[in-house]
PDB file of all heavy atoms in Angstrom:
ATOM      1  N   LEU C1238      26.241 107.150 -40.871  1.00  0.00           N
ATOM      2  CA  LEU C1238      25.680 106.132 -39.970  1.00  0.00           C
ATOM      3  C   LEU C1238      26.774 105.548 -39.103  1.00  0.00           C
ATOM      4  O   LEU C1238      26.606 105.320 -37.902  1.00  0.00           O
ATOM      5  CB  LEU C1238      25.045 105.028 -40.810  1.00  0.00           C
ATOM      6  CG  LEU C1238      23.999 104.130 -40.186  1.00  0.00           C
ATOM      7  CD1 LEU C1238      22.795 104.929 -39.792  1.00  0.00           C
ATOM      8  CD2 LEU C1238      23.603 103.062 -41.176  1.00  0.00           C
ATOM      9  N   ARG C1239      27.954 105.386 -39.722  1.00  0.00           N
ATOM     10  CA  ARG C1239      29.046 104.790 -38.966  1.00  0.00           C
ATOM     11  C   ARG C1239      29.642 105.789 -37.998  1.00  0.00           C
ATOM     12  O   ARG C1239      29.889 105.477 -36.841  1.00  0.00           O
ATOM     13  CB  ARG C1239      30.113 104.314 -39.946  1.00  0.00           C
ATOM     14  CG  ARG C1239      31.194 103.616 -39.238  1.00  0.00           C
ATOM     15  CD  ARG C1239      32.508 103.865 -39.914  1.00  0.00           C
ATOM     16  NE  ARG C1239      33.363 102.750 -39.564  1.00  0.00           N
ATOM     17  CZ  ARG C1239      33.827 101.868 -40.404  1.00  0.00           C
ATOM     18  NH1 ARG C1239      33.585 102.009 -41.660  1.00  0.00           N
ATOM     19  NH2 ARG C1239      34.558 100.881 -39.991  1.00  0.00           N
ATOM     20  N   ASN C1240      29.885 106.999 -38.473  1.00  0.00           N
ATOM     21  CA  ASN C1240      30.619 107.940 -37.637  1.00  0.00           C
ATOM     22  C   ASN C1240      29.734 108.628 -36.622  1.00  0.00           C
ATOM     23  O   ASN C1240      30.119 108.814 -35.489  1.00  0.00           O
ATOM     24  CB  ASN C1240      31.279 108.991 -38.521  1.00  0.00           C
ATOM     25  CG  ASN C1240      32.389 108.375 -39.336  1.00  0.00           C
ATOM     26  OD1 ASN C1240      32.973 107.401 -38.901  1.00  0.00           O
ATOM     27  ND2 ASN C1240      32.637 108.913 -40.501  1.00  0.00           N
ATOM     28  N   ARG C1241      28.547 109.042 -37.033  1.00  0.00           N
ATOM     29  CA  ARG C1241      27.743 109.841 -36.113  1.00  0.00           C
ATOM     30  C   ARG C1241      26.823 108.986 -35.264  1.00  0.00           C
ATOM     31  O   ARG C1241      26.515 109.341 -34.137  1.00  0.00           O
ATOM     32  CB  ARG C1241      26.879 110.831 -36.882  1.00  0.00           C
ATOM     33  CG  ARG C1241      27.688 111.797 -37.648  1.00  0.00           C
ATOM     34  CD  ARG C1241      27.113 113.197 -37.557  1.00  0.00           C
ATOM     35  NE  ARG C1241      27.729 114.017 -38.580  1.00  0.00           N
ATOM     36  CZ  ARG C1241      27.067 114.746 -39.439  1.00  0.00           C
ATOM     37  NH1 ARG C1241      25.762 114.762 -39.412  1.00  0.00           N
ATOM     38  NH2 ARG C1241      27.710 115.454 -40.330  1.00  0.00           N
ATOM     39  N   LEU C1242      26.322 107.883 -35.811  1.00  0.00           N
ATOM     40  CA  LEU C1242      25.437 107.044 -35.009  1.00  0.00           C
ATOM     41  C   LEU C1242      26.143 105.815 -34.456  1.00  0.00           C
ATOM     42  O   LEU C1242      25.558 105.087 -33.667  1.00  0.00           O
ATOM     43  CB  LEU C1242      24.240 106.580 -35.840  1.00  0.00           C
ATOM     44  CG  LEU C1242      23.241 107.668 -36.212  1.00  0.00           C
ATOM     45  CD1 LEU C1242      22.012 107.036 -36.825  1.00  0.00           C
ATOM     46  CD2 LEU C1242      22.845 108.462 -34.998  1.00  0.00           C
ATOM     47  N   GLY C1243      27.347 105.551 -34.875  1.00  0.00           N
ATOM     48  CA  GLY C1243      28.100 104.431 -34.300  1.00  0.00           C
ATOM     49  C   GLY C1243      27.640 103.061 -34.761  1.00  0.00           C
ATOM     50  O   GLY C1243      27.783 102.086 -34.043  1.00  0.00           O
ATOM     51  N   VAL C1244      27.097 102.978 -35.943  1.00  0.00           N
ATOM     52  CA  VAL C1244      26.678 101.676 -36.466  1.00  0.00           C
ATOM     53  C   VAL C1244      27.844 101.128 -37.272  1.00  0.00           C
ATOM     54  O   VAL C1244      28.096 101.533 -38.389  1.00  0.00           O
ATOM     55  CB  VAL C1244      25.430 101.831 -37.364  1.00  0.00           C
ATOM     56  CG1 VAL C1244      25.040 100.511 -37.940  1.00  0.00           C
ATOM     57  CG2 VAL C1244      24.304 102.432 -36.572  1.00  0.00           C
ATOM     58  N   GLU C1245      28.570 100.162 -36.676  1.00  0.00           N
ATOM     59  CA  GLU C1245      29.889  99.835 -37.212  1.00  0.00           C
ATOM     60  C   GLU C1245      29.937  98.679 -38.184  1.00  0.00           C
ATOM     61  O   GLU C1245      30.927  98.502 -38.860  1.00  0.00           O
ATOM     62  CB  GLU C1245      30.815  99.466 -36.052  1.00  0.00           C
ATOM     63  CG  GLU C1245      31.142 100.601 -35.157  1.00  0.00           C
ATOM     64  CD  GLU C1245      31.994 100.113 -34.025  1.00  0.00           C
ATOM     65  OE1 GLU C1245      31.470  99.396 -33.155  1.00  0.00           O
ATOM     66  OE2 GLU C1245      33.188 100.431 -34.023  1.00  0.00           O
ATOM     67  N   HIS C1246      28.930  97.834 -38.214  1.00  0.00           N
ATOM     68  CA  HIS C1246      29.074  96.546 -38.917  1.00  0.00           C
ATOM     69  C   HIS C1246      28.205  96.526 -40.142  1.00  0.00           C
ATOM     70  O   HIS C1246      27.007  96.760 -40.083  1.00  0.00           O
ATOM     71  CB  HIS C1246      28.650  95.432 -37.947  1.00  0.00           C
ATOM     72  CG  HIS C1246      28.739  94.057 -38.529  1.00  0.00           C
ATOM     73  ND1 HIS C1246      29.924  93.390 -38.667  1.00  0.00           N
ATOM     74  CD2 HIS C1246      27.787  93.232 -38.995  1.00  0.00           C
ATOM     75  CE1 HIS C1246      29.699  92.208 -39.200  1.00  0.00           C
ATOM     76  NE2 HIS C1246      28.407  92.080 -39.398  1.00  0.00           N
ATOM     77  N   LEU C1247      28.817  96.264 -41.294  1.00  0.00           N
ATOM     78  CA  LEU C1247      28.057  96.006 -42.506  1.00  0.00           C
ATOM     79  C   LEU C1247      27.808  94.506 -42.565  1.00  0.00           C
ATOM     80  O   LEU C1247      28.748  93.721 -42.682  1.00  0.00           O
ATOM     81  CB  LEU C1247      28.849  96.452 -43.735  1.00  0.00           C
ATOM     82  CG  LEU C1247      28.242  96.073 -45.080  1.00  0.00           C
ATOM     83  CD1 LEU C1247      27.028  96.903 -45.351  1.00  0.00           C
ATOM     84  CD2 LEU C1247      29.255  96.255 -46.181  1.00  0.00           C
ATOM     85  N   SER C1248      26.548  94.091 -42.454  1.00  0.00           N
ATOM     86  CA  SER C1248      26.273  92.653 -42.435  1.00  0.00           C
ATOM     87  C   SER C1248      26.260  92.059 -43.824  1.00  0.00           C
ATOM     88  O   SER C1248      26.877  91.042 -44.080  1.00  0.00           O
ATOM     89  CB  SER C1248      24.928  92.380 -41.779  1.00  0.00           C
ATOM     90  OG  SER C1248      24.973  92.700 -40.439  1.00  0.00           O
ATOM     91  N   ALA C1249      25.492  92.691 -44.725  1.00  0.00           N
ATOM     92  CA  ALA C1249      25.375  92.120 -46.058  1.00  0.00           C
ATOM     93  C   ALA C1249      24.860  93.167 -47.010  1.00  0.00           C
ATOM     94  O   ALA C1249      24.306  94.181 -46.580  1.00  0.00           O
ATOM     95  CB  ALA C1249      24.416  90.927 -46.054  1.00  0.00           C
ATOM     96  N   ILE C1250      25.066  92.910 -48.293  1.00  0.00           N
ATOM     97  CA  ILE C1250      24.400  93.686 -49.342  1.00  0.00           C
ATOM     98  C   ILE C1250      23.699  92.666 -50.213  1.00  0.00           C
ATOM     99  O   ILE C1250      24.313  91.689 -50.645  1.00  0.00           O
ATOM    100  CB  ILE C1250      25.400  94.478 -50.204  1.00  0.00           C
ATOM    101  CG1 ILE C1250      26.356  95.269 -49.334  1.00  0.00           C
ATOM    102  CG2 ILE C1250      24.655  95.397 -51.151  1.00  0.00           C
ATOM    103  CD1 ILE C1250      27.441  95.940 -50.120  1.00  0.00           C
TER     104      ILE C1250
END
Side-chain angles (χ1 to χ4, degrees):
Chain C
L1238 201 63
R1239 184 214 204 115
N1240 291 332
R1241 298 221 194 129
L1242 291 189
V1244 178
E1245 292 177 289
H1246 180 77
L1247 172 72
S1248 293
I1250 310 174

